[in-house]
Amino acid sequence: MSDSPELYTLNGSCHCGTVKFIAKNVNPDRVAKCNCTFHNRDGQIFLNTRGPEDVLIIKGDEQIPLTLENVQSFKEHGMSSYIPSPERHKPGENEMIQCFCSKCGNTTFTVMNLEWFGGKSITVSARLLDFKAIGKDFKDITDPKNMTYTDGLTDTFATQKGEPYPGGAW
């Protein structure tokens, strides 16, 4: 028996379908909430990815990896972005870009390179993924007792199961 989690490849899209993507190496048991000011305000439940090819934006027949270097190029395809706390998140230094659909407003991704968060990664809004394709119900995946909570409010990014950090939500 393997201790490795079962990983999946899932399709996802924003509400209106303008931003379509594939998320690879998804572990449904690692769905998380963060108590940082951004995630707390938009209520995002997310999954973190690590590989440079783990999120592919679908444009016609093309599947294009999403990276810090190319995130701005998707603007012409309906994906907008902004840098939260520009004084803290500068190009080449603790980079973080929040992405969302310019039509329906769904938060889609956070693309980042944060030293204190383990380097380059992309968080995907879990609400946009098709868990039914793998026989999973979103309500079971997001059960509070199984949820991973992240302490982004203090920039420690510590994690714990089952209970939110101060300032976080169930």
Side-chain angles (χ1 to χ4, degrees), residues 20-22 52-67 70-71 73-74 77 122:
K20 295 178 182 161
F21 62 95
I22 297 169
E53 306 262 331
D54 279 353
V55 176
L56 303 171
I57 303 297
I58 299 171
K59 294 294 158 209
D61 293 335
E62 284 187 274
Q63 297 178 1
I64 308 162
L66 179 64
T67 65
N70 73 1
V71 70
S73 71
F74 293 108
H77 300 292
I122 300 172

Short mmCIF file of all heavy atoms in Angstrom, two decimals, residues 20-22 52-67 70-71 73-74 77 122:
data_model
loop_
_atom_site.label_atom_id
_atom_site.label_comp_id
_atom_site.label_asym_id
_atom_site.label_seq_id
_atom_site.Cartn_x
_atom_site.Cartn_y
_atom_site.Cartn_z
N LYS A 20 -11.01 28.97 -19.06
CA LYS A 20 -11.06 27.51 -18.95
C LYS A 20 -9.64 27.01 -18.70
O LYS A 20 -8.68 27.55 -19.25
CB LYS A 20 -11.61 26.89 -20.23
CG LYS A 20 -13.05 27.27 -20.49
CD LYS A 20 -13.53 26.68 -21.79
CE LYS A 20 -14.97 27.13 -22.00
NZ LYS A 20 -15.40 27.00 -23.36
N PHE A 21 -9.54 25.96 -17.90
CA PHE A 21 -8.21 25.47 -17.56
C PHE A 21 -8.23 24.00 -17.17
O PHE A 21 -9.29 23.41 -16.96
CB PHE A 21 -7.60 26.31 -16.43
CG PHE A 21 -8.38 26.26 -15.14
CD1 PHE A 21 -8.04 25.37 -14.13
CD2 PHE A 21 -9.44 27.12 -14.93
CE1 PHE A 21 -8.76 25.34 -12.95
CE2 PHE A 21 -10.17 27.10 -13.75
CZ PHE A 21 -9.82 26.20 -12.75
N ILE A 22 -7.04 23.44 -17.09
CA ILE A 22 -6.81 22.09 -16.60
C ILE A 22 -5.89 22.22 -15.40
O ILE A 22 -4.87 22.91 -15.48
CB ILE A 22 -6.16 21.20 -17.68
CG1 ILE A 22 -7.10 21.06 -18.88
CG2 ILE A 22 -5.78 19.85 -17.10
CD1 ILE A 22 -6.44 20.42 -20.09
N PRO A 52 5.46 23.53 -12.58
CA PRO A 52 5.32 24.62 -13.54
C PRO A 52 4.28 24.33 -14.63
O PRO A 52 3.82 25.23 -15.30
CB PRO A 52 6.72 24.75 -14.14
CG PRO A 52 7.37 23.45 -13.89
CD PRO A 52 6.76 22.89 -12.63
N GLU A 53 3.90 23.08 -14.79
CA GLU A 53 2.91 22.72 -15.82
C GLU A 53 1.62 22.23 -15.18
O GLU A 53 0.80 21.59 -15.83
CB GLU A 53 3.49 21.64 -16.73
CG GLU A 53 4.83 21.99 -17.33
CD GLU A 53 4.72 22.53 -18.74
OE1 GLU A 53 3.77 22.16 -19.44
OE2 GLU A 53 5.58 23.34 -19.13
N ASP A 54 1.41 22.52 -13.90
CA ASP A 54 0.23 22.00 -13.20
C ASP A 54 -1.06 22.74 -13.53
O ASP A 54 -2.14 22.22 -13.28
CB ASP A 54 0.44 22.00 -11.68
CG ASP A 54 1.26 20.81 -11.21
OD1 ASP A 54 1.53 19.91 -12.04
OD2 ASP A 54 1.62 20.77 -10.03
N VAL A 55 -0.97 23.95 -14.06
CA VAL A 55 -2.17 24.67 -14.48
C VAL A 55 -1.97 25.07 -15.93
O VAL A 55 -1.02 25.77 -16.28
CB VAL A 55 -2.44 25.91 -13.61
CG1 VAL A 55 -3.63 26.70 -14.14
CG2 VAL A 55 -2.68 25.50 -12.16
N LEU A 56 -2.89 24.59 -16.78
CA LEU A 56 -2.83 24.88 -18.20
C LEU A 56 -4.08 25.66 -18.58
O LEU A 56 -5.21 25.22 -18.32
CB LEU A 56 -2.78 23.59 -19.01
CG LEU A 56 -1.63 22.63 -18.69
CD1 LEU A 56 -1.83 21.30 -19.39
CD2 LEU A 56 -0.30 23.24 -19.07
N ILE A 57 -3.90 26.82 -19.18
CA ILE A 57 -5.02 27.63 -19.66
C ILE A 57 -5.40 27.09 -21.04
O ILE A 57 -4.54 26.88 -21.89
CB ILE A 57 -4.64 29.12 -19.75
CG1 ILE A 57 -4.15 29.64 -18.39
CG2 ILE A 57 -5.81 29.95 -20.27
CD1 ILE A 57 -5.16 29.60 -17.28
N ILE A 58 -6.70 26.86 -21.26
CA ILE A 58 -7.17 26.34 -22.53
C ILE A 58 -7.59 27.52 -23.41
O ILE A 58 -8.46 28.31 -23.03
CB ILE A 58 -8.37 25.38 -22.33
CG1 ILE A 58 -7.94 24.19 -21.47
CG2 ILE A 58 -8.92 24.92 -23.68
CD1 ILE A 58 -9.08 23.31 -21.03
N LYS A 59 -6.96 27.61 -24.55
CA LYS A 59 -7.27 28.64 -25.54
C LYS A 59 -7.45 27.94 -26.87
O LYS A 59 -6.46 27.56 -27.51
CB LYS A 59 -6.15 29.69 -25.64
CG LYS A 59 -6.01 30.50 -24.39
CD LYS A 59 -7.25 31.35 -24.18
CE LYS A 59 -7.42 31.75 -22.76
NZ LYS A 59 -8.78 31.96 -22.36
N GLY A 60 -8.70 27.68 -27.28
CA GLY A 60 -8.96 26.93 -28.50
C GLY A 60 -8.43 25.51 -28.33
O GLY A 60 -8.80 24.81 -27.39
N ASP A 61 -7.53 25.10 -29.22
CA ASP A 61 -6.92 23.77 -29.14
C ASP A 61 -5.63 23.78 -28.32
O ASP A 61 -5.02 22.74 -28.13
CB ASP A 61 -6.62 23.23 -30.54
CG ASP A 61 -7.88 22.95 -31.33
OD1 ASP A 61 -8.93 22.69 -30.69
OD2 ASP A 61 -7.84 22.99 -32.57
N GLU A 62 -5.21 24.95 -27.88
CA GLU A 62 -3.95 25.07 -27.14
C GLU A 62 -4.15 24.91 -25.64
O GLU A 62 -5.19 25.29 -25.09
CB GLU A 62 -3.32 26.45 -27.35
CG GLU A 62 -2.65 26.66 -28.67
CD GLU A 62 -1.93 27.99 -28.68
OE1 GLU A 62 -2.59 29.00 -28.99
OE2 GLU A 62 -0.72 28.01 -28.35
N GLN A 63 -3.14 24.36 -24.98
CA GLN A 63 -3.07 24.29 -23.51
C GLN A 63 -1.77 24.95 -23.11
O GLN A 63 -0.69 24.42 -23.36
CB GLN A 63 -3.11 22.84 -23.04
CG GLN A 63 -4.41 22.14 -23.40
CD GLN A 63 -4.42 20.69 -22.97
OE1 GLN A 63 -3.48 20.19 -22.39
NE2 GLN A 63 -5.50 20.01 -23.30
N ILE A 64 -1.87 26.13 -22.50
CA ILE A 64 -0.70 26.95 -22.22
C ILE A 64 -0.44 26.99 -20.73
O ILE A 64 -1.33 27.36 -19.95
CB ILE A 64 -0.91 28.39 -22.75
CG1 ILE A 64 -1.35 28.36 -24.22
CG2 ILE A 64 0.33 29.23 -22.55
CD1 ILE A 64 -1.99 29.62 -24.70
N PRO A 65 0.78 26.60 -20.28
CA PRO A 65 1.08 26.66 -18.85
C PRO A 65 0.96 28.08 -18.30
O PRO A 65 1.39 29.04 -18.95
CB PRO A 65 2.53 26.17 -18.76
CG PRO A 65 2.79 25.46 -20.04
CD PRO A 65 1.90 26.10 -21.07
N LEU A 66 0.36 28.22 -17.14
CA LEU A 66 0.23 29.51 -16.47
C LEU A 66 1.47 29.72 -15.60
O LEU A 66 1.80 28.87 -14.77
CB LEU A 66 -1.04 29.52 -15.60
CG LEU A 66 -1.32 30.78 -14.80
CD1 LEU A 66 -1.55 31.97 -15.71
CD2 LEU A 66 -2.52 30.56 -13.89
N THR A 67 2.15 30.84 -15.80
CA THR A 67 3.35 31.16 -15.02
C THR A 67 3.34 32.64 -14.64
O THR A 67 2.57 33.42 -15.21
CB THR A 67 4.64 30.88 -15.83
OG1 THR A 67 4.67 31.78 -16.94
CG2 THR A 67 4.70 29.44 -16.32
N ASN A 70 4.01 34.72 -17.79
CA ASN A 70 3.05 34.92 -18.87
C ASN A 70 1.64 35.28 -18.40
O ASN A 70 0.74 35.42 -19.23
CB ASN A 70 3.00 33.69 -19.78
CG ASN A 70 2.30 32.50 -19.15
OD1 ASN A 70 1.82 32.54 -18.02
ND2 ASN A 70 2.26 31.40 -19.88
N VAL A 71 1.43 35.44 -17.10
CA VAL A 71 0.07 35.67 -16.60
C VAL A 71 -0.59 36.89 -17.24
O VAL A 71 -1.78 36.88 -17.54
CB VAL A 71 0.05 35.74 -15.05
CG1 VAL A 71 0.71 36.99 -14.55
CG2 VAL A 71 -1.36 35.63 -14.52
N SER A 73 -0.28 37.92 -20.23
CA SER A 73 -0.63 37.69 -21.63
C SER A 73 -2.03 37.12 -21.81
O SER A 73 -2.56 37.13 -22.92
CB SER A 73 0.39 36.74 -22.28
OG SER A 73 0.23 35.43 -21.78
N PHE A 74 -2.66 36.66 -20.75
CA PHE A 74 -4.01 36.09 -20.87
C PHE A 74 -5.10 37.17 -20.80
O PHE A 74 -6.28 36.86 -20.91
CB PHE A 74 -4.23 35.02 -19.80
CG PHE A 74 -3.37 33.81 -20.02
CD1 PHE A 74 -2.29 33.56 -19.18
CD2 PHE A 74 -3.61 32.96 -21.08
CE1 PHE A 74 -1.48 32.45 -19.39
CE2 PHE A 74 -2.80 31.86 -21.31
CZ PHE A 74 -1.73 31.60 -20.47
N HIS A 77 -7.57 37.22 -23.43
CA HIS A 77 -8.48 36.07 -23.41
C HIS A 77 -9.46 36.12 -22.24
O HIS A 77 -10.03 35.11 -21.85
CB HIS A 77 -7.68 34.77 -23.36
CG HIS A 77 -6.76 34.59 -24.52
ND1 HIS A 77 -7.21 34.37 -25.80
CD2 HIS A 77 -5.41 34.63 -24.60
CE1 HIS A 77 -6.17 34.25 -26.63
NE2 HIS A 77 -5.07 34.42 -25.92
N ILE A 122 0.97 27.89 -7.62
CA ILE A 122 -0.28 28.48 -8.07
C ILE A 122 -1.39 27.89 -7.21
O ILE A 122 -1.46 26.68 -7.04
CB ILE A 122 -0.56 28.16 -9.55
CG1 ILE A 122 0.55 28.71 -10.45
CG2 ILE A 122 -1.93 28.72 -9.97
CD1 ILE A 122 0.44 28.28 -11.90
#
